[in-house]
Amino acid sequence: MAQATMAKPKKKVSPSKNGSTAKAKKMTYYFGKTKTEGRGVSKEILGGKGANLAEMTSIGLPVPPGFTITTQVCAAYYDAGKKLPEGLLASITKNVKMLEKELGKKFGDLKNPLLVSVRSGAAVSMPGMMDTVLNLGLNDKSVRGLADATDNPRFAYDAYRRLINMYGNVVMDINHHLFEDEFAKIKRKYKVANDHDVPVEGMLELCEAYKAVFKKESGKPFPQDPMKQLELAVEAVFKSWNTSRAVKYRQLEGIHGLLGTAVNVQSMAYGNMGEDSGTGVAFTRDPSTGKNQFYGEFLINAQGEDVVAGIRTPLPFSDMKKWNKSVHKQLLDIKVILEKHYRDMQDIEFTIERGELFMLQTRTGKRTGPAAVKLACDMVKEKLITREEALLRIPADHLTQLLLPGFDPAARKQAKVLTKGLPASPGAAVGKLAFTAEEAVERTAAGETVLLVRTETSPEDIDGMHCAAGILTSTGGMTSHAAVVARGWGRCCVAGAGEIEINQKSRKALINGRLLTHKDTISIDGSTGEVYLGELKTIQPKLSGDFSTIMSWADKYRTLKIRTNADSPADAKKARDFGAEGIGLCRTEHMFFEEGRITSMREMILAEDEKSRRAALKKLLPFQRRDFEGIFKAMKGLAVTIRLLDPPLHEFLPHEAKAQKDLATELGVPVSQIKRRVKQLHEMNPMLGHRGCRLSISYPEILEMQVTAITEAAIKCKKQKIDIAVEIMIPLVGTQTELSILRQLTEETIAKVRQAKKFTGKLKLIIGTMIEIPRAALTADEVAKDADFFSFGTNDLTQMAFGYSRDDISGFLPDYLEQGVLLVDPFVSIDQTGVGQLVEFGVNKGRQTKPDLKIGICGEHGGDPDSIDFCHRVGLDYVSCSPYRVPIARLAAAQAALRHPKK
Amino acid sequence: MAQATMAKPKKKVSPSKNGSTAKAKKMTYYFGKTKTEGRGVSKEILGGKGANLAEMTSIGLPVPPGFTITTQVCAAYYDAGKKLPEGLLASITKNVKMLEKELGKKFGDLKNPLLVSVRSGAAVSMPGMMDTVLNLGLNDKSVRGLADATDNPRFAYDAYRRLINMYGNVVMDINHHLFEDEFAKIKRKYKVANDHDVPVEGMLELCEAYKAVFKKESGKPFPQDPMKQLELAVEAVFKSWNTSRAVKYRQLEGIHGLLGTAVNVQSMAYGNMGEDSGTGVAFTRDPSTGKNQFYGEFLINAQGEDVVAGIRTPLPFSDMKKWNKSVHKQLLDIKVILEKHYRDMQDIEFTIERGELFMLQTRTGKRTGPAAVKLACDMVKEKLITREEALLRIPADHLTQLLLPGFDPAARKQAKVLTKGLPASPGAAVGKLAFTAEEAVERTAAGETVLLVRTETSPEDIDGMHCAAGILTSTGGMTSHAAVVARGWGRCCVAGAGEIEINQKSRKALINGRLLTHKDTISIDGSTGEVYLGELKTIQPKLSGDFSTIMSWADKYRTLKIRTNADSPADAKKARDFGAEGIGLCRTEHMFFEEGRITSMREMILAEDEKSRRAALKKLLPFQRRDFEGIFKAMKGLAVTIRLLDPPLHEFLPHEAKAQKDLATELGVPVSQIKRRVKQLHEMNPMLGHRGCRLSISYPEILEMQVTAITEAAIKCKKQKIDIAVEIMIPLVGTQTELSILRQLTEETIAKVRQAKKFTGKLKLIIGTMIEIPRAALTADEVAKDADFFSFGTNDLTQMAFGYSRDDISGFLPDYLEQGVLLVDPFVSIDQTGVGQLVEFGVNKGRQTKPDLKIGICGEHGGDPDSIDFCHRVGLDYVSCSPYRVPIARLAAAQAALRHPKK
C-alpha cells in the first residue's frame, strides 16, 4: 500500500489519546478447548502469531491452549511511561485459571505444574527481533513436580536451567555468556562434550550455578512465584518492542504505524522430552522456488529455538517418515487444511511431545521473488485465488530476483568449487570476504563489494547483512536467521556450508584445506549452494513462463504506460525486451563523455566566443546524430524522450592537474587557460547553478546543435521508412519564459533542418519540459502553454522541496531515519505528503491549461512500487525507470490499478 | 505598485492579438488652436509627453501645435514585423494639413515652410533614451524659404545642417563623428573656435558637406520630400524603442508592460534665432531639496538639446529677469497654473522664439528622496494634496537618501577641497577615479569602489553610472544627463565641475594643477558640490521634521509591524531609533566568529564525541548569554526572535593551510585531524546540506547550549526587572517531526534552566520556526502544530523554489535579465507568482491549524517595498529588515495599507 514518507512525531502516532479508553478495551483473548475468543480479531490487535493461534484452534488443529495479550496493552504500557495498565494482572490471572482448569495442571504445582511460554508477536512478523521465554512456571518446587509428572528428572532440570538462562537474559538483561561459562564448567567436570550428555546430577548443579549467576548479576534471587515470573516476562516482551535492534529492523523493512507487540502466553509442549520428541519448522511449499512440495526441517529431542538459531543442522522433512510416519502424514494433511484456510503458503512451527504433534505457529510464509511468481500462478491454476489476488500478492520489488544475473555455465565449468552449502536465497554474488557485520559495513562504505561470511548470523548482524552482496554461513539451515532474512530482502545466501571453518578473530576461513583471507574473492550461488574461488562471470537469467504469465496479467490491468530510461541503443533494446513502451528519459550528456567526443566538448566549453563554440559544436553534431539514429531504430517508432544537455559545464572539464595539462597539449592552448576556465565555472552549489535550460539561454548554439542532430537523425530514419516519435525535453525550466524562448528556438532549428534537408514529410517531433523545479510545478498552468508534455524529474524536485542535496544527504540521513524524522529515504520512495503536492499541482494546473497534456515521471522514483502507486493515483500517463525495473513497474502499475480503480 | 517578478514572454505581452483591431483604433491625436483631441486620453496611449502637450494646450498654455501618434501604432509596427500600419500615412497627412492651415505655413514651402520636430514619448519618461529629430521639413528649397521668412540665412542653414546631422544619425545610423569632423574642417577653414562664429557661407558649405557624408554613408541622397522625411523619422522613433540602450534602461528602472513609444510631431519653435531667443528647462520647485522655489536654467540663442546634453553650462533662472522680464513673470505664473492643474511639482521645457514663450513639455518632476519628503509635506500644508496622497507619492526606496551618511564636518574642515561643482544629486561618495563606463563596470566587478569621472555622461554610460558609487562631471548643469539620471537613482552626483580637465585616453584628471590617476581616491558631496582629495569620514544624517511627519503619518496608516534584523545591542539600538518594533531576526552564528569564541567553536566542531563537544560548548555558553542579555536590555521588552545555529559547521573551520596549522597548534591536535575534519565536512552543495535544524537533530547539545544561554539571559533580565519577550526560532525545518523533536528538547532545556536557577516567575519565551524550505510551506498545517510563530525565510525559499544558488546566480542572471526571463532579481524583490504561492500556502495552512499564528518575514525581501506590499496583502503580521531600511518599510507598509485596505 502506498504509505506516507513522513513520520508523524512518535508521541502523536501512538494512541496516547486513547490511553484511558484502552483500559476499557478487552486486554486478553483466550484460545483453547474451553473457548476461543480471538477468532476473526485482527492481527493489528492480536499480533500475527496470536491471531493465527486463535484461527488454528478454531479450525481444530492441535494447538496447546493459551491466551494473547493485545498490542493495545503494549501501546498503553508505553503511553503510561512503561507501566502495565491497571486490570491487566487480574485478566492474566483469570486466563491462567482457565488454562489450569482445561489442562488439569496448576501453576507452580508440586505435582503436575502448568508451564507456559511467553512470546512476542506483532502484526507484522519480525523474526528473531523480539524476546521469548519458555518453561515459565518452574521454580525450585515445581521442577520436582515436573520431574515426577514426566518421570524424567533430567528433562525437568534441563527445562529449569533453560528458564533461568532465558529469563535472566530476557528479563534481567544478563549476558548469556555467563550462563554458558557455567555450562562449560559442568561439562568439563563430567567430562562430556555435548549438552545432552550431562547427567541429571550435573543438571541439578547447573540450575544452582545458574541461580547464583542470576542473583549475582541481577542482585535478586530467581523469582519463585510463577505469577511474578509471568508479569515480568510480559513486561520484558513489551520492552523488547523498542530495543534498537527491533527499531532498526522495522526501519529496514519499512514497518511502521504498528501499536506494539502482543504477548502470547501458551502452555508448553516439549520437543525435548526424549527421542520420541522433536521440533520443527516447515513451509507448506518451497519458499525458494515456489514448488508445491511440503518443505520442512526438524530436530529430534530439541526445543524450537534450536532450529531457528541454526546451532544444530536439522534433518529434512523426508526423514520424518522413518521416524514417525503418523506425524509425517498428519503434517501433510495440515498443509492442505492450512492452505485452504489461509489461501496462501504457510510457514509453520510444530513440536512433537512424546509422539504427539502440536502446532505452535502458522503465518504466511516469506518467499523469494521466483517463488512468489510461481506460487501466484499455481494457486490461480488450483483456483485457490483469483488473478487479481495473484497480482496483488507478489511484492513488485521482488521481481528483481528473477531478473538477477546468474553465473555463466561456461565459467562455472572451469571454476573451482570450494564447497557446497544450502541454497538459502537465490542469486549470484561475488565479493571479498568480510568476517563481521561492522567490517562489511565499513568496507562497503569504502567502495568494496564484500560477502559476509559467518558461522551463523544473528539479529545484531542486520546492518552487515544488508550491505553485503551476499551471505555465506557455515551452520544453520534453510530456516536459519541468515536464510530467512536474506530471502526477505532478495539477497543471495548460501547457508550451512559446514566445511568452512571460520576464525573471526584472525579474519581467516579454511575451506577444504584452502586458507582464505579478507583479500580473497569468492563467488556464491544462492540457487545451488555452490561456493567458488575467485570471480565468476555472470549472465542474464532466462525468464520462466510463470513470469510471462504474471506480466501479461499485469499488462491487462494496468493503465499506466511503462517507459524506460536509456541512453544507448543497447539499453533501449534491453528495455524493450522487458516490455518498455518507450524511452522516457534519454540523457544526452553521457554521449559527450565517450572517447573522441569529450575533447570537442571541452573545446566548446573553453571557447572564448560564440564562433569558436559553434566550431567545436559542429564536430559533436555527427556523433549525436548517429547516437539518436541508433536509438530511434532500436525503438521502432515508440516514443523517445530526449533531454537536452543538463549538467553544469564544469563536469566535462578535467579537474586534476595532469589531465588539465594533457588537455592543454591536445587542444594546443596554455594550461593556464584551462585552469582559468575551470575556476571560472566552479560553483558553490552546482546543483542550483548554471545548468539545464539555463545553459541554452546563455549558449543557444548548444541547443541548436542538439536539435539539429535530433532532427537530422529523425529525417534520416523517415527516409529509410523507419517510424519515429521524438519528444524533445527541455530540462530545469522554472519559468514559462525560459520554455517559451527555447521552444521557439527549437522550432526554428527544426524548420531550418527540414529546409536544408528538403524534407516536407510528417515528423512526429513534440516539445515539452521536465517539471523538476518547485516553481515550475507551482506555475504549471503557465508553463503548460508552451509544453506538449510534462515529465516530472522527482529527483531534483525532491532535492529542492526538502532542501536536501543528494550528494550530501549521507551527513544526516542516518540520524533522520534513526530518529524517525524520515521513514524512508525520500530519494528512494517519493514523499507523497510534500513533494507529492508539487506533483499534484503540476498535473492539475498543467491539465487546467491543456486537458490532454501528456504527463510522465522520469526520476528514479519511476521504478519504486509505492511511488508508482502514487503516480497512478495522481493521473500520470506513464512512468519511466531503468530497464531492469520495467517488469517491476509493470506489476506495480497493475497493483495500483487494482487498488485504485478509476471511476 | 506591486509587480509580478516574471515576464510573460514578450510576444505574448505585446498586444499581437489586437493587431487587427489596432488598425481600427484612432492613430493620431491633434493638439492646437483648431482642436485638441487628446485631452484626458491616457499616457498609456499618448505617451507622457503627448498627453501633457494635449493637457497644456487645453488649459491655454502657449504650446506649438502638433499631433501625437499613439503607442498602439508602435505596438502594431512591431507586431507586423516592423511595418508601419496601413492608414497611418493618410492620418499623418491629414494632421499635417491641419497644422499648415492653423499656422499658415506649408510643408516644404519655398517661402514660409512648416518645420516640425519628431520626438519619442513613452508612458514612462526615459530621458535621453530614445530619438529626436528637429527642423524636419527643410530641404534644399525650403531652407531658402526659411532664410527669407526669418531674414536670417545663417539661422536657416544652421537649422538645415542640424537636420541632416540628426536625421543621418537617428534615421540612417550614421556616426555623428563623421559630421563633427566636417564641422571641424569648416571651423579650421574660417579660423573660428566656436560653432556660432562660423559665417553664413561656411554654413552653406557645411550643409553641402553634410549631405555628401549622408550620401556616402547611407548610399542615398538626403531626402528632399518632407513627407518622406517625416515617415522615415516616425519609423526611426519606433525603432529607437528597442535599441539595447533603451531596453537596458527599462530593465534598470524596472519599467515593463508598456505598449511602445508614441511619436510627437510638433511645429518648431526656435530658441536659436538670435539673442532674443533662448531655450530652457525648469522644475517648478527645487528637485534636490524640495524647496518651493522655481528652479530653472536657460541658454540664450540655443536649441533645447544644448541644455540637456550639458555641452554649454546654462544660466540660472534668476538671470532671466534681466534678459526678459515678461517671460520671467510668465513662467512664474505658469508654475502656479501647472502645479494647480497637476497637483505636483513639474519638470518643464520651454523655448523663447524672438521673445515669445513656447511650452514644449511638462511632466511630473523627478526628485531626490529629501525633496520628495519635503514636497509631500508642503503640498499637504498648501492643501494641494491629502496625507494619503502624500504618503503614496514618496517612493519608499528613496528614503534611503535621507538616511545616507554625509561627511563628518570635522573631517571636512581638515580636508583639501580640490574644486566645487553643482550639487546635482545629494549624498556623500568616496571612491577611486574611473574614466569610462566600461572601466567602472570592470573595476566594480573586481571589488573596487569607484567614482565615474566624465566630461559629460550620455545614455551609453548607463551601466557605468549605475555601478559607480558616485558621478562627477566637468560640464553640464543640474538638468544634464548625469544629474537627472543620478537623482532618479538616488546616486550621489556633482556636475559641471568646470575646473577639472579630464583626459579619458591617458586616464588622468587635472584639478587645479593636481594630477589624479585611477589610483587616487576622492570624496564628493552631492549636497554641496564639493570635491575633496582622499577619503573623508562619513557620519549619520540628522533627520528633518518633515521626515518625522511622514513617518508618523505612515505609522497611522500601516497595519504591518516593522521589525529589524540585528545581531548586536548596537544594531538593536540603531534600529529602535529608526522605529523598529522588535527584532525579527537575530542570527547567532555571527557571535561565534568573534575573537575568543571561534577557537571554542572550532574545538566543538573537531570534537570526536559528545562529551568533548559538550565541554567545548560549555566554554561558549557565557559568551552567548552575555550577547543575549545585551540585546534583551537594548530592546526593553520588545520581541526578539533568535534563530538557532544555521550555517554548516565547515564555515567555522579554517580552509587555508596556514590557518589550519595555527589552529592545530592552538588546540594541541595534529593538523591532520583538522584537515580530515574539514574534508569530512566538505559538501557538494552546502546550501542543501547538513545545516540549520539538521545540526540540532545530529548534535542536540548545540541546541541545548544555545537555549540554556537564552533562558539564563532572560532570567537574569527578569531578576533585574527588565522585561523580555523572546522567540526562539528553529531554522530550516522541512518536516513537522524535526520541529516536534526540537521543540520538546527546547522546552526540556528551558525547564532545566528554570529549575537550576530556581526561577518560577513568568517568562515570555515562545518557540517557532522559519518557513524557508518549500516542503515546510507545503505542509504548514502540520508544522504549525508545533510552532508558536512562523517567520518566512524568503532568501532560502527563493533559492529552493527557483533552484538558484545565490552564490552562483551571477553565472546566468545577466542573461536572464537581458532576455526578459526575469524582470527583477528575485532575491531583491520577491517572486510573487511562484515563491509567493509558497508564502500564501504557509500563511493559509498555518492559520488553518492556528488561526492566531503570528507570522512574519525575515529575509532581505522584508525591506523591499514591492515585497512589503505583497506581505501586507497575504496577511503577515510583520516584516523584518536591516536597521537602515526600517523607515522605508514603515512607509511601504503604509502605502500597502492605503492601496489595499482591509475589508
Side-chain angles (χ1 to χ4, degrees), chain A residues 6 698 738 775 815-816, chain B residues 6 698 738 775 815-816 831:
Chain A
M6 306 308 308
S698 296
E738 289 167 314
R775 195 182 185 285
D815 295 329
Y816 268 48
Chain B
M6 306 308 308
S698 296
E738 289 167 313
R775 196 182 183 284
D815 295 330
Y816 268 47
D831 160 42

Side-chain angles (χ1 to χ4, degrees), chain A residues 5-12 682-691 693-695 697-700 732 734-738 740-741 744 773-776 778-779 781-782 785-786 799-809 811-812 815-816 819-822 831 833-835 837-838 841 845, chain B residues 5-12 682-691 693-695 697-700 732 734-738 740-741 744 773-776 778-779 781-782 785-786 799-809 811-812 815-816 819-822 831 833-835 837-838 841 845:
Chain A
T5 312
M6 306 308 308
K8 309 276 172 181
K10 277 170 206 146
K11 57 167 188 181
K12 310 245 157 131
H682 171 79
E683 291 180 313
M684 288 292 293
N685 299 289
M687 233 293 301
L688 308 177
H690 200 177
R691 51 176 282 242
C693 73
R694 297 165 197 174
L695 292 172
I697 295 280
S698 296
Y699 311 112
L732 216 71
T735 69
Q736 189 204 341
T737 318
E738 289 167 314
S740 169
I741 290 172
Q744 197 176 330
I773 297 268
R775 195 182 185 285
L778 292 165
T779 60
D781 45 345
E782 294 182 7
K785 288 179 192 160
D786 287 294
Q799 293 201 89
M800 292 178 216
F802 272 99
Y804 293 164
S805 161
R806 246 195 125 158
D807 296 318
D808 305 310
I809 195 175
F812 54 92
D815 295 329
Y816 268 48
Q819 298 185 43
V821 175
L822 297 174
D831 160 42
T833 317
V835 178
Q837 285 189 48
L838 291 174
F841 289 145
K845 292 187 174 191
Chain B
T5 311
M6 306 308 308
K8 309 276 173 181
K10 276 169 204 145
K11 57 169 187 177
K12 309 246 157 133
H682 170 80
E683 291 181 312
M684 287 292 294
N685 298 289
M687 232 294 299
L688 307 178
H690 200 177
R691 51 176 283 240
C693 73
R694 297 166 198 174
L695 292 172
I697 294 281
S698 296
Y699 311 112
L732 215 72
T735 69
Q736 188 205 341
T737 318
E738 289 167 313
S740 168
I741 290 171
Q744 197 176 331
I773 297 268
R775 196 182 183 284
L778 292 166
T779 60
D781 45 345
E782 293 182 6
K785 289 179 191 159
D786 287 295
Q799 293 202 89
M800 292 178 219
F802 273 99
Y804 293 163
S805 162
R806 247 193 125 158
D807 296 318
D808 304 310
I809 194 175
F812 55 91
D815 295 330
Y816 268 47
Q819 298 184 43
V821 175
L822 297 173
D831 160 42
T833 318
V835 178
Q837 286 188 49
L838 292 173
F841 288 144
K845 292 187 175 192

Side-chain angles (χ1 to χ4, degrees), chain A residues 502-556:
Chain A
I502 297 168
N503 187 328
Q504 183 187 311
K505 243 186 192 157
S506 66
R507 298 172 72 200
K508 286 189 175 65
L510 191 68
I511 310 186
N512 282 324
R514 180 161 206 126
L515 197 69
L516 300 178
T517 72
H518 67 279
K519 290 182 187 160
D520 289 298
T521 297
I522 58 172
S523 301
I524 62 174
D525 187 331
S527 315
T528 64
E530 281 158 323
V531 179
Y532 298 91
L533 185 66
E535 180 178 345
L536 258 66
K537 196 186 147 199
T538 54
I539 50 155
Q540 294 314 316
K542 272 199 197 132
L543 294 172
S544 69
D546 285 337
F547 175 79
S548 306
T549 303
I550 292 294
M551 284 296 107
S552 71
W553 291 348
D555 290 347
K556 230 183 70 189

